[in-house]
Amino acid sequence: MDHFHVGIDGGGTRCRAAVAAADGRIIGRGISGAANILTDPETALVHIRLATEAAFQEAGLPVSGLASAVAVLGLAGNNVADAVSFIAARLPFARAEIVSDVLIALQGALGDRDGAVASLGTGTVYSIRQQGTVSMLGGHGFKVGDLGSGARLGQGLLQEALLAYDGIRHGSPLTETVLAEFGHSTAAIIAFAHTAHPADYGRFAPSVFSAAAVGDPVGVELVRMAARHIDQTLDAIVTRGVRTLCLVGGLASLYRPWLTERPGVEILEPTTDALTGAVALAVQRFTSDPSSAHVEAAQ
């Protein structure tokens, strides 16, 4: 069977896969659930396989072809060596390279051009390419980082709902909606938080933006605070001499109206998405070095 190139975009909310022919032309796509290898590596492996099998099926290819395919996987949580090793040893591909999900977003958004990409979704992380050198800011995970992320917005909303319930802060229609979802039970919120992953918190983010758009005071304050965190990072990026920015991810368009304008800095629409970026990297890496080792981990 021919060797196909696979690109994987595995994030905190969903995993997307694409299979491409030797020339890089995508012929099938698939999607499954969350694939954060740090927070839930076993589930991430399942979803990587399911998404890839769906892509092969859409392309009219037998799923047995995974065993001879080469792949680049852009995975959330790839900066923890133990998580990468666990995943790498169990991948179904002939050869594969695990990279940051930020790198595939950068490749998809800017191609080989210099500039910076802010990935704003369930988590937040930033990538910079200057004269061919790539560096990153953020991406430290939900527990100690991801400021401005969808997960942090959702967590903040639940905190505000509890504060309103206790009469410590004023509530709003947004907090009342959340309390109603949990049956006005603080125990139910606490139980949810005890087992919640970032994606579980992140599902509340769209409602925060929707509430903020109609002037809900809690929604407005949560979005403003999150936007300040993003602005601080963008300012740090601009001080490095970057003059081209691209915002990507599920929350990118929602944040745009809340972020500070930066004269002299060009905000570009992404050329394409992270999944296409992963496919492009797979073609680059394995076409130029067909004898690559079975699995490599890279930033």
Side-chain angles (χ1 to χ4, degrees):
M1 176 178 178
D2 291 335
H3 291 265
F4 291 94
H5 295 84
V6 171
I8 302 285
D9 176 17
T13 303
R14 62 181 181 171
C15 180
R16 299 186 300 150
V19 57
D23 60 0
R25 177 175 49 88
I26 293 176
I27 56 177
R29 298 174 185 266
I31 188 169
S32 62
N36 189 310
I37 66 174
L38 179 58
T39 59
D40 194 348
E42 291 281 5
T43 299
L45 270 172
V46 171
H47 288 159
I48 288 167
R49 176 177 282 276
L50 287 175
T52 310
E53 288 179 350
F56 269 67
Q57 289 167 350
E58 184 179 271
L61 301 171
V63 295
S64 59
L66 272 69
S68 61
V70 295
V72 164
L73 300 89
L75 302 178
N78 91 300
N79 51 344
V80 177
D82 288 346
V84 171
S85 298
F86 178 87
I87 295 295
R90 294 163 175 81
L91 289 173
F93 309 111
R95 288 172 287 148
E97 183 176 354
I98 297 174
V99 303
S100 169
D101 54 342
V102 182
L103 185 60
I104 63 172
L106 176 67
Q107 188 68 31
L110 296 178
D112 296 325
R113 292 173 295 173
D114 282 356
V117 172
S119 298
L120 311 175
T122 303
T124 52
V125 64
Y126 307 79
S127 55
I128 306 167
R129 184 190 285 125
Q130 293 176 294
Q131 298 181 346
T133 299
V134 176
S135 58
M136 298 181 190
L137 295 177
H140 305 306
F142 174 71
K143 292 184 178 180
V144 293
D146 283 353
L147 299 181
S149 67
R152 286 283 190 167
L153 277 174
Q155 182 193 52
L157 174 56
L158 295 187
Q159 290 173 337
E160 291 298 322
L162 290 174
L163 289 167
Y165 182 92
D166 289 339
I168 298 170
R169 293 184 186 171
H170 293 297
S172 72
L174 177 60
T175 57
E176 177 57 30
T177 297
V178 172
L179 288 170
E181 179 177 333
F182 287 93
H184 289 85
S185 168
T186 59
I189 295 176
I190 293 168
F192 167 84
H194 183 67
T195 59
H197 294 297
D200 299 319
Y201 287 113
R203 73 178 178 85
F204 293 100
S207 63
V208 176
F209 279 100
S210 295
V214 297
D216 183 278
V218 172
V220 168
E221 181 55 30
L222 286 171
V223 174
R224 281 179 175 168
M225 181 171 59
R228 283 197 294 269
H229 289 308
I230 294 169
D231 272 327
Q232 286 178 337
T233 307
L234 294 179
D235 287 341
I237 289 171
V238 170
T239 62
R240 299 188 180 194
V242 174
R243 292 296 178 266
T244 300
L245 297 176
C246 188
L247 308 182
V248 302
L251 301 182
S253 62
L254 297 175
Y255 267 122
R256 280 292 293 269
W258 298 87
L259 298 177
T260 302
E261 294 292 330
R262 292 173 172 79
V265 176
E266 185 179 17
I267 306 294
L268 297 179
E269 292 298 319
T271 301
T272 186
D273 64 0
L275 181 59
T276 306
V279 171
L281 288 176
V283 173
Q284 286 180 14
R285 306 241 171 134
F286 291 108
T287 299
S288 61
D289 185 10
S291 61
S292 297
H294 174 67
V295 174
E296 302 170 15
Q299 295 296 317

